[in-house]
């Protein structure tokens, strides 16, 4: 049963890691703007001039 | 046990993978823009719409490279984007472009001044400069796309990043290749003109306060882990076998609970302490009592091995409280509720120095300086007109609906907008000492609002604290002679279980949800206190111009000889060339009168606009003059007396005049009727007042609405408006004020609830408690009904919380409250309140049709 102590410590350390990740994310400003990243990642890659001409409807 | 939501940098995000998959399925673009195809087809078959801004090109049509544009400005933006291979802008979002029609180019010469640059930028290391701009025009996915591709338009721009919620752009540019002025000019040239005003000069950049989220994160983390470590306790395992586990788990729990109490819950403890020092019990006092008792008793139990403590309940309590706080903080990043005149005034003016014009920031202007005010610019400070004819639009600063004509030697007040040709003025006051800006020296602006909680919560808090303390001490007194151990146990149990967590959650969730519902209907409240104030007012004060009358769309009437269809056609053509608001209003009205969509084009010659007087042109051998009475020929004037209006003269004969009346807002009658009935129900003598900065020309029109002449006050100065509100409040009334302009700023601030009616919420709004989109004006009665109804819901939630409290207390007074009962009862009561609050407020909104 003593292994429980080890497991508890490991699980707490992992949980602390996630807490640190959360605090880091907040500090980094990831929660400041919850709209533009959601839109931004849907933009396609750059089109070259020729591709653009053909794809224009 | 904590949930991590990834956002921000998408390269780290698990959603990024999802997006790639979506894109492969080519679903992504249809999510972004599901309606682009059919809409553009319809537009192309019926009438040509502008490729850039999507508005119909009826007046002038420019065709360039097979695309049609409504104006030169739009075509130019298209050309810039086309040349830089950025036309994808138009594929992302329909009508992405911002119309440049009627926009005057603004001089950015002041941005060459190093001092101004220093004030505007965030950071510079000598090579790279970082700067943040607020761009009110930002509105769609295309905007984000283009603004982040700025580096393609100018080699000097290193990087640009957009925050769509705040409508801000963060730019980094190279100082050796470009300047701040060029960057701003580039933004303006593609239609995204950054808002730069006097406020930027004094403004200290707000530091993002993220401490709240840290606290929430810590509380959530501790809550989850303490629950996990309390699991053996919940299962009721035999403590004699593995007592070492229980001890070590207990100590770990204490370790986890310390940051929860001292960091996450610090605000509650501090607020309670402040309340006690000031001599009144706010809602935080019983909360803090509960928290501290929970913590100390748990620590004692764990250390003395007498029990497991209630640390799980403690962490859960604080976690729920913080969630409630988070929920009620619905912030509108792109709206500001505390702007003063500095956000309305420009940052610089053109000062005449040795015969040359130089851009100078407003804070450097001194009395005696000579300033040139160009068309569409603001007069920065009180001054005397030296040269030129001034035609000044004071509608926003004083409420006067008509342009005021001034001659050299006349005094001009700060804040007016020159609509005519450039004028030269001599300053007689400093910017901050002017007639209008002095208003901000009034105590209404300097006094600080102390309370951060609603008065309702404070009242309940007072009641609660006294009841709890009473019950706790009665219990103590009852048990003490019988059994000291049970006495302490029961006493602390009462304080723990009575901790008004559910009560503290009722207001955040119900009012917070009401704010959200109202926000969806374009009625933006500053905070939850406003919901309560919206129920507790008696008198209502209305401003006229811009509030109960729409700025646009006036009522027009033609008096004189009726006009033929041909004449109307000619008039429209003559008026088309003018940018003057009255010309545009008149032109729109004539088009409506005519009812035809097509117009014959006749050759127009000798078109000229005499600033401040009118327009003259020759068309079909008719000399047409439209303008003021003084603009008409002398001999033709003999037949017509002078009236307020725009005169029309065809071939030296006055045909009549257009009488332009302010148009009252649609459904104003219903809104006023609602307030009248509401006022009649009040015990106090509640009244409806009109406070207008305008003259009393329309008093006859408004009299039936306000019933008594004494309730309508015209020609009020900003200070008089403020003082009027004060007098009402001195007689014990609570006042709701509806206004819009700078002249209402003092009254809005002084009143108990100040609501700004705004045509466009992106534009300047003075400091207030709530911003109402003018299109939603008719809905105002329902909004107020929702706010009042939600207060009854809060009382109902209190009733529910009381039921739980009575159950808990019945255990507590007997000294038989076990940790497991507390651990179940406390979250359960909180969740019940949250669910009840959300469902009931949604139901109420639905019933009101919102």
């Amino acid at each position: 049963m003593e292994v429980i102590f080890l497991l508890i410590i490991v699980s707490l350390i992992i949980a602390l890691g996630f807490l640190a990740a959360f605090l880091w994310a907040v500090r980094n400003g990831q929660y400041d703007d919850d709209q533009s990243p959601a839109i931004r990642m849907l933009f396609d890659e750059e089109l070259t001039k020729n591709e653009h001409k053909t794809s224009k409807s | 046990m904590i949930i991590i939501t990834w956002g921000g940098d998408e390269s780290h995000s698990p959603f990024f993978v999802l997006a790639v998959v979506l894109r492969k399925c080519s679903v992504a673009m249809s999510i972004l823009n599901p309606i682009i195809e059919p809409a553009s087809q319809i537009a192309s078959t019926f009438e040509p719409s502008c490729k850039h801004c999507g508005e119909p090109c009826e007046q002038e049509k420019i065709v360039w490279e097979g695309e049609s544009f409504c104006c030169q400005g739009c075509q130019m933006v298209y050309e810039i984007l086309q040349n830089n291979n950025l036309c994808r802008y138009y594929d992302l979002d329909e009508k992405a472009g911002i119309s440049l029609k009627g926009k005057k180019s603004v001089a950015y010469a002041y941005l060459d001044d190093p001092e101004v640059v220093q004030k505007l930028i965030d950071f510079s290391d000598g090579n790279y400069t970082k700067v943040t701009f607020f761009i009110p025009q930002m509105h769609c996915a295309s905007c984000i796309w283009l603004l982040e591709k700025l580096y393609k338009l100018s080699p000097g721009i290193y990087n640009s990043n957009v925050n769509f919620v705040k409508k801000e752009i963060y730019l980094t540019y190279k100082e050796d290749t470009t300047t701040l002025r060029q960057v701003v000019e580039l933004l303006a040239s593609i239609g995204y003109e950054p808002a730069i005003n006097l406020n930027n000069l004094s403004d200290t950049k707000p530091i993002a306060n993220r401490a709240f989220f840290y606290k929430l994160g810590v509380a959530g983390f501790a809550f989850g882990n303490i629950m996990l470590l309390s699991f053996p306790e919940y299962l009721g395992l035999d403590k004699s076998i593995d007592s070492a586990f229980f001890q070590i788990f207990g100590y770990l729990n204490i370790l986890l609970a310390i940051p929860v109490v001292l960091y996450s819950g610090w605000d509650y403890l501090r607020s309670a302490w402040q309340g006690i020092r000031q001599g009144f019990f706010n809602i935080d006092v019983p909360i803090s009592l509960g928290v501290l008792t929970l913590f100390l008793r748990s620590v004692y139990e764990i250390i003395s091995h007498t029990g497991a403590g209630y640390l799980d309940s403690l962490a859960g309590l604080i976690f729920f409280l913080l969630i409630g706080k988070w929920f009620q903080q619905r912030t509108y990043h792109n709206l500001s509720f505390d702007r003063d005149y500095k956000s309305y005034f420009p940052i610089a003016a053109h000062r005449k120095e040795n015969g040359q014009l130089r851009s100078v920031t407003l804070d450097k202007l001194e009395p005696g300086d000579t300033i040139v005010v160009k068309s569409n610019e603001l007069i920065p400070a009180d001054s005397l007109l030296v040269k030129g004819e001034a035609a000044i639009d004071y509608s926003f600063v004083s409420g006067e609906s008509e342009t005021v004509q001034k001659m050299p030697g006349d005094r001009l007040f700060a804040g007016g907008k020159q609509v005519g040709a450039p004028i030269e003025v001599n300053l007689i006051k400093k910017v901050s000492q002017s007639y209008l800006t002095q208003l901000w020296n009034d105590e209404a602006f300097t006094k600080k609002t102390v309370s951060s909680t609603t008065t309702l919560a404070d009242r309940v808090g007072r009641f609660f604290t006294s009841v709890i303390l009473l019950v706790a001490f009665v219990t103590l007194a009852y048990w003490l002679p019988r059994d000291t151990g049970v006495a302490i146990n029961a006493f602390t149990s009462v304080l723990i279980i009575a901790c008004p967590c559910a009560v503290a959650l009722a207001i955040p969730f119900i009012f917070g949800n009401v704010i959200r519902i109202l926000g969806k209907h374009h009625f933006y409240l500053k905070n939850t206190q406003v919901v309560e104030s919206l129920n507790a007012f008696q008198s209502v004060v209305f401003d006229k111009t811009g509030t109960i009358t729409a700025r646009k769309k006036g009522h027009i009437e033609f008096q004189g000889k009726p006009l033929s269809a041909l004449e109307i056609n000619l008039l429209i053509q003559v008026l088309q060339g003018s940018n003057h608001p009255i010309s545009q209003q008149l032109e729109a009205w004539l088009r409506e009168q005519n009812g035809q969509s097509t117009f014959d084009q006749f050759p127009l010659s000798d078109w000229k606009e005499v600033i401040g007087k009118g327009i003259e042109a020759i068309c079909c051998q008719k000399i047409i003059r439209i303008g003021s009475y003084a603009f008409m020929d002398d001999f033709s004037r003999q037949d017509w007396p002078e009236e307020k209006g725009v005169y029309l003269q065809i071939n030296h004969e006055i045909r009549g005049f257009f009488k332009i009346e302010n148009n009252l807002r649609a459904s104003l009658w219903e809104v006023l009727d609602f307030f009248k009935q509401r006022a009649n129900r009040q015990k106090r003598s509640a009244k409806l007042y009109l406070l207008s900065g305008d003259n009393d020309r329309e008093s006859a029109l408004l009299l039936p609405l306000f019933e008594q002449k004494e309730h309508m006050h015209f020609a009020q100065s900003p200070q008089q408006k403020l003082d009027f509100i004060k007098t009402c409040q001195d007689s014990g009334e609570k006042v709701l004020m509806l206004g819009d302009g700078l002249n209402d700023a003092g009254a809005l601030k002084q009143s108990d609830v100040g609501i700004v009616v705004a045509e466009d919420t992106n534009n300047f709004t003075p400091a207030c408690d709530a911003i109402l989109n003018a299109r939603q004006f008719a809905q105002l009665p329902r909004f107020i009904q929702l706010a009042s109804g939600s207060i009854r819901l809060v009382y109902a939630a209190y009733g529910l919380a009381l039921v739980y409290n009575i159950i808990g207390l019945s255990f507590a007074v007997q000294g038989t409250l076990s940790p497991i009962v507390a651990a179940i009862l406390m979250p359960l009561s909180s969740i019940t309140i949250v669910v009840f609050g959300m469902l009931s407020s949604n139901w109420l909104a639905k019933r009101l049709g919102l």
Side-chain angles (χ1 to χ4, degrees), chain B residues 496-533:
Chain B
I496 289 167
I497 202 71
C499 178
C501 179
V503 172
L505 284 175
I507 286 185
F509 275 93
I510 294 174
F511 286 0
N513 200 32
V514 165
I515 288 190
R516 265 155 234 255
I517 294 167
L518 293 177
K520 260 186 230 153
H521 291 87
H522 308 286
F523 183 40
Y524 309 102
L525 304 190
K526 189 176 167 187
N527 52 36
T528 43
Q529 276 161 274
V530 183
V531 178
E532 203 189 329
S533 327

Short mmCIF file of all heavy atoms in Angstrom, two decimals, chain B residues 496-533:
data_model
loop_
_atom_site.label_atom_id
_atom_site.label_comp_id
_atom_site.label_asym_id
_atom_site.label_seq_id
_atom_site.Cartn_x
_atom_site.Cartn_y
_atom_site.Cartn_z
N ILE B 496 -20.31 27.58 9.66
CA ILE B 496 -19.90 26.96 8.39
C ILE B 496 -21.09 26.79 7.45
O ILE B 496 -21.08 27.24 6.31
CB ILE B 496 -19.25 25.58 8.66
CG1 ILE B 496 -17.88 25.76 9.30
CG2 ILE B 496 -19.13 24.78 7.38
CD1 ILE B 496 -17.30 24.49 9.88
N ILE B 497 -22.14 26.17 7.97
CA ILE B 497 -23.24 25.81 7.08
C ILE B 497 -24.04 27.03 6.65
O ILE B 497 -24.65 27.06 5.59
CB ILE B 497 -24.15 24.74 7.75
CG1 ILE B 497 -24.95 23.98 6.69
CG2 ILE B 497 -25.08 25.35 8.75
CD1 ILE B 497 -24.09 23.06 5.85
N ALA B 498 -24.01 28.07 7.49
CA ALA B 498 -24.78 29.25 7.16
C ALA B 498 -24.05 30.16 6.18
O ALA B 498 -24.60 31.16 5.73
CB ALA B 498 -25.12 30.02 8.42
N CYS B 499 -22.82 29.82 5.88
CA CYS B 499 -22.04 30.65 4.96
C CYS B 499 -22.83 30.87 3.67
O CYS B 499 -23.18 29.91 2.98
CB CYS B 499 -20.73 29.95 4.65
SG CYS B 499 -19.74 30.84 3.48
N PRO B 500 -23.17 32.10 3.38
CA PRO B 500 -24.17 32.35 2.33
C PRO B 500 -23.61 32.25 0.92
O PRO B 500 -23.69 33.19 0.14
CB PRO B 500 -24.64 33.76 2.65
CG PRO B 500 -23.47 34.41 3.28
CD PRO B 500 -22.67 33.34 3.96
N CYS B 501 -23.04 31.10 0.62
CA CYS B 501 -22.49 30.89 -0.72
C CYS B 501 -23.58 31.00 -1.77
O CYS B 501 -23.45 31.71 -2.76
CB CYS B 501 -21.85 29.51 -0.77
SG CYS B 501 -21.17 29.12 -2.36
N ALA B 502 -24.70 30.32 -1.50
CA ALA B 502 -25.80 30.33 -2.46
C ALA B 502 -26.34 31.73 -2.63
O ALA B 502 -26.65 32.17 -3.74
CB ALA B 502 -26.90 29.38 -2.00
N VAL B 503 -26.42 32.46 -1.53
CA VAL B 503 -26.90 33.84 -1.60
C VAL B 503 -25.96 34.69 -2.43
O VAL B 503 -26.37 35.48 -3.27
CB VAL B 503 -27.06 34.41 -0.18
CG1 VAL B 503 -27.37 35.89 -0.22
CG2 VAL B 503 -28.14 33.67 0.57
N ALA B 504 -24.65 34.47 -2.20
CA ALA B 504 -23.67 35.27 -2.93
C ALA B 504 -23.65 34.92 -4.41
O ALA B 504 -23.19 35.71 -5.22
CB ALA B 504 -22.29 35.04 -2.33
N LEU B 505 -24.15 33.75 -4.76
CA LEU B 505 -24.14 33.35 -6.18
C LEU B 505 -25.39 33.83 -6.92
O LEU B 505 -25.40 33.90 -8.14
CB LEU B 505 -24.04 31.83 -6.30
CG LEU B 505 -22.66 31.25 -6.03
CD1 LEU B 505 -22.72 29.74 -6.07
CD2 LEU B 505 -21.67 31.75 -7.05
N ALA B 506 -26.46 34.11 -6.17
CA ALA B 506 -27.73 34.46 -6.83
C ALA B 506 -27.58 35.70 -7.69
O ALA B 506 -27.97 35.71 -8.86
CB ALA B 506 -28.81 34.65 -5.78
N ILE B 507 -26.99 36.75 -7.13
CA ILE B 507 -26.87 38.00 -7.89
C ILE B 507 -25.95 37.86 -9.10
O ILE B 507 -26.33 38.22 -10.20
CB ILE B 507 -26.47 39.17 -6.96
CG1 ILE B 507 -27.70 39.57 -6.13
CG2 ILE B 507 -25.95 40.36 -7.75
CD1 ILE B 507 -27.50 40.77 -5.28
N PRO B 508 -24.73 37.31 -8.92
CA PRO B 508 -23.87 37.18 -10.10
C PRO B 508 -24.53 36.41 -11.25
O PRO B 508 -24.44 36.82 -12.40
CB PRO B 508 -22.65 36.43 -9.58
CG PRO B 508 -22.60 36.74 -8.15
CD PRO B 508 -24.01 36.92 -7.71
N PHE B 509 -25.19 35.32 -10.92
CA PHE B 509 -25.72 34.51 -12.02
C PHE B 509 -26.99 35.10 -12.63
O PHE B 509 -27.14 35.10 -13.85
CB PHE B 509 -25.92 33.05 -11.57
CG PHE B 509 -24.66 32.27 -11.71
CD1 PHE B 509 -23.79 32.13 -10.65
CD2 PHE B 509 -24.32 31.70 -12.93
CE1 PHE B 509 -22.60 31.43 -10.79
CE2 PHE B 509 -23.14 31.00 -13.08
CZ PHE B 509 -22.27 30.86 -11.99
N ILE B 510 -27.89 35.60 -11.80
CA ILE B 510 -29.12 36.15 -12.37
C ILE B 510 -28.84 37.47 -13.09
O ILE B 510 -29.18 37.64 -14.26
CB ILE B 510 -30.20 36.31 -11.28
CG1 ILE B 510 -30.61 34.94 -10.77
CG2 ILE B 510 -31.41 37.05 -11.84
CD1 ILE B 510 -31.55 34.94 -9.61
N PHE B 511 -28.18 38.40 -12.40
CA PHE B 511 -27.89 39.69 -13.04
C PHE B 511 -26.90 39.52 -14.19
O PHE B 511 -27.01 40.17 -15.22
CB PHE B 511 -27.33 40.68 -12.02
CG PHE B 511 -28.39 41.23 -11.08
CD1 PHE B 511 -29.71 40.83 -11.19
CD2 PHE B 511 -28.06 42.15 -10.11
CE1 PHE B 511 -30.68 41.33 -10.34
CE2 PHE B 511 -29.03 42.67 -9.26
CZ PHE B 511 -30.33 42.25 -9.37
N GLY B 512 -25.93 38.62 -14.00
CA GLY B 512 -24.96 38.39 -15.07
C GLY B 512 -25.64 37.88 -16.33
O GLY B 512 -25.32 38.29 -17.44
N ASN B 513 -26.61 36.99 -16.14
CA ASN B 513 -27.33 36.48 -17.29
C ASN B 513 -28.19 37.56 -17.93
O ASN B 513 -28.31 37.63 -19.15
CB ASN B 513 -28.18 35.28 -16.87
CG ASN B 513 -28.58 34.41 -18.03
OD1 ASN B 513 -27.81 34.30 -19.00
ND2 ASN B 513 -29.76 33.84 -17.98
N VAL B 514 -28.79 38.40 -17.10
CA VAL B 514 -29.61 39.51 -17.62
C VAL B 514 -28.73 40.43 -18.47
O VAL B 514 -29.12 40.85 -19.57
CB VAL B 514 -30.28 40.28 -16.46
CG1 VAL B 514 -30.82 41.61 -16.94
CG2 VAL B 514 -31.40 39.46 -15.87
N ILE B 515 -27.53 40.72 -17.99
CA ILE B 515 -26.62 41.57 -18.77
C ILE B 515 -26.31 40.95 -20.12
O ILE B 515 -26.30 41.61 -21.15
CB ILE B 515 -25.30 41.79 -17.99
CG1 ILE B 515 -25.56 42.71 -16.81
CG2 ILE B 515 -24.22 42.37 -18.87
CD1 ILE B 515 -24.31 43.18 -16.13
N ARG B 516 -26.11 39.64 -20.13
CA ARG B 516 -25.84 38.94 -21.38
C ARG B 516 -27.03 39.02 -22.34
O ARG B 516 -26.88 39.27 -23.53
CB ARG B 516 -25.55 37.47 -21.11
CG ARG B 516 -24.08 37.17 -20.99
CD ARG B 516 -23.88 35.94 -20.16
NE ARG B 516 -22.96 36.30 -19.09
CZ ARG B 516 -21.70 35.93 -19.08
NH1 ARG B 516 -21.23 35.18 -20.03
NH2 ARG B 516 -20.90 36.31 -18.11
N ILE B 517 -28.23 38.80 -21.80
CA ILE B 517 -29.43 38.84 -22.64
C ILE B 517 -29.59 40.24 -23.22
O ILE B 517 -29.84 40.41 -24.42
CB ILE B 517 -30.68 38.44 -21.83
CG1 ILE B 517 -30.58 36.97 -21.41
CG2 ILE B 517 -31.94 38.67 -22.65
CD1 ILE B 517 -31.58 36.55 -20.35
N LEU B 518 -29.41 41.26 -22.38
CA LEU B 518 -29.55 42.63 -22.86
C LEU B 518 -28.46 42.96 -23.88
O LEU B 518 -28.72 43.64 -24.88
CB LEU B 518 -29.48 43.61 -21.69
CG LEU B 518 -30.65 43.55 -20.71
CD1 LEU B 518 -30.43 44.51 -19.56
CD2 LEU B 518 -31.97 43.86 -21.40
N GLY B 519 -27.26 42.44 -23.64
CA GLY B 519 -26.17 42.69 -24.57
C GLY B 519 -26.46 42.12 -25.95
O GLY B 519 -26.12 42.72 -26.96
N LYS B 520 -27.14 40.99 -25.98
CA LYS B 520 -27.53 40.39 -27.25
C LYS B 520 -28.48 41.31 -28.01
O LYS B 520 -28.55 41.29 -29.22
CB LYS B 520 -28.20 39.04 -27.00
CG LYS B 520 -27.27 37.87 -27.23
CD LYS B 520 -28.04 36.58 -27.11
CE LYS B 520 -27.32 35.63 -26.17
NZ LYS B 520 -28.21 34.69 -25.52
N HIS B 521 -29.24 42.08 -27.27
CA HIS B 521 -30.18 43.02 -27.90
C HIS B 521 -29.61 44.43 -27.98
O HIS B 521 -30.35 45.40 -28.04
CB HIS B 521 -31.51 43.03 -27.14
CG HIS B 521 -32.25 41.74 -27.29
ND1 HIS B 521 -32.05 40.66 -26.47
CD2 HIS B 521 -33.18 41.35 -28.19
CE1 HIS B 521 -32.82 39.67 -26.85
NE2 HIS B 521 -33.52 40.05 -27.89
N HIS B 522 -28.31 44.53 -27.92
CA HIS B 522 -27.60 45.79 -28.10
C HIS B 522 -27.92 46.83 -27.04
O HIS B 522 -28.00 48.01 -27.32
CB HIS B 522 -27.86 46.38 -29.49
CG HIS B 522 -27.60 45.39 -30.58
ND1 HIS B 522 -26.33 45.04 -30.96
CD2 HIS B 522 -28.44 44.65 -31.33
CE1 HIS B 522 -26.41 44.13 -31.91
NE2 HIS B 522 -27.67 43.86 -32.15
N PHE B 523 -28.14 46.36 -25.83
CA PHE B 523 -28.26 47.27 -24.71
C PHE B 523 -27.16 46.83 -23.74
O PHE B 523 -27.25 45.78 -23.13
CB PHE B 523 -29.65 47.15 -24.07
CG PHE B 523 -29.89 48.11 -22.94
CD1 PHE B 523 -29.44 49.41 -23.01
CD2 PHE B 523 -30.60 47.72 -21.82
CE1 PHE B 523 -29.68 50.30 -21.97
CE2 PHE B 523 -30.85 48.60 -20.78
CZ PHE B 523 -30.38 49.89 -20.86
N TYR B 524 -26.10 47.64 -23.68
CA TYR B 524 -24.89 47.20 -22.98
C TYR B 524 -24.81 47.86 -21.60
O TYR B 524 -24.77 49.08 -21.51
CB TYR B 524 -23.65 47.55 -23.79
CG TYR B 524 -23.74 47.08 -25.21
CD1 TYR B 524 -24.04 47.95 -26.25
CD2 TYR B 524 -23.53 45.74 -25.53
CE1 TYR B 524 -24.14 47.51 -27.55
CE2 TYR B 524 -23.62 45.29 -26.83
CZ TYR B 524 -23.92 46.18 -27.84
OH TYR B 524 -24.02 45.75 -29.13
N LEU B 525 -24.82 47.03 -20.56
CA LEU B 525 -24.73 47.56 -19.21
C LEU B 525 -23.29 47.51 -18.73
O LEU B 525 -22.54 46.62 -19.08
CB LEU B 525 -25.60 46.75 -18.24
CG LEU B 525 -27.08 46.61 -18.58
CD1 LEU B 525 -27.82 46.01 -17.40
CD2 LEU B 525 -27.69 47.94 -18.93
N LYS B 526 -22.96 48.49 -17.88
CA LYS B 526 -21.59 48.59 -17.38
C LYS B 526 -21.29 47.44 -16.42
O LYS B 526 -20.25 46.82 -16.50
CB LYS B 526 -21.45 49.92 -16.67
CG LYS B 526 -20.09 50.32 -16.26
CD LYS B 526 -20.21 51.71 -15.66
CE LYS B 526 -19.00 52.15 -14.92
NZ LYS B 526 -19.27 53.43 -14.25
N ASN B 527 -22.18 47.19 -15.49
CA ASN B 527 -21.97 46.09 -14.54
C ASN B 527 -23.31 45.68 -13.92
O ASN B 527 -24.35 46.21 -14.28
CB ASN B 527 -20.97 46.50 -13.45
CG ASN B 527 -21.36 47.79 -12.79
OD1 ASN B 527 -22.55 48.07 -12.61
ND2 ASN B 527 -20.40 48.59 -12.43
N THR B 528 -23.24 44.74 -12.96
CA THR B 528 -24.49 44.21 -12.42
C THR B 528 -25.23 45.22 -11.55
O THR B 528 -26.44 45.11 -11.38
CB THR B 528 -24.22 42.95 -11.57
OG1 THR B 528 -23.07 43.18 -10.77
CG2 THR B 528 -23.98 41.74 -12.44
N GLN B 529 -24.51 46.21 -11.03
CA GLN B 529 -25.21 47.22 -10.22
C GLN B 529 -26.27 47.95 -11.03
O GLN B 529 -27.29 48.37 -10.51
CB GLN B 529 -24.21 48.25 -9.70
CG GLN B 529 -23.51 47.82 -8.45
CD GLN B 529 -22.26 48.64 -8.27
OE1 GLN B 529 -21.21 48.30 -8.81
NE2 GLN B 529 -22.36 49.70 -7.54
N VAL B 530 -25.98 48.12 -12.33
CA VAL B 530 -26.91 48.86 -13.17
C VAL B 530 -28.25 48.13 -13.28
O VAL B 530 -29.30 48.76 -13.34
CB VAL B 530 -26.29 49.10 -14.57
CG1 VAL B 530 -27.21 49.94 -15.42
CG2 VAL B 530 -24.94 49.77 -14.44
N VAL B 531 -28.21 46.79 -13.26
CA VAL B 531 -29.45 46.02 -13.34
C VAL B 531 -30.36 46.42 -12.18
O VAL B 531 -31.56 46.65 -12.34
CB VAL B 531 -29.16 44.50 -13.29
CG1 VAL B 531 -30.46 43.72 -13.32
CG2 VAL B 531 -28.28 44.09 -14.44
N GLU B 532 -29.73 46.55 -11.00
CA GLU B 532 -30.51 46.93 -9.84
C GLU B 532 -31.00 48.36 -9.93
O GLU B 532 -32.17 48.64 -9.62
CB GLU B 532 -29.64 46.74 -8.59
CG GLU B 532 -30.45 46.57 -7.35
CD GLU B 532 -29.59 46.62 -6.12
OE1 GLU B 532 -28.42 46.23 -6.19
OE2 GLU B 532 -30.10 47.07 -5.10
N SER B 533 -30.14 49.27 -10.39
CA SER B 533 -30.56 50.67 -10.49
C SER B 533 -31.69 50.84 -11.50
O SER B 533 -32.50 51.74 -11.39
CB SER B 533 -29.39 51.55 -10.91
OG SER B 533 -28.20 51.09 -10.41
#
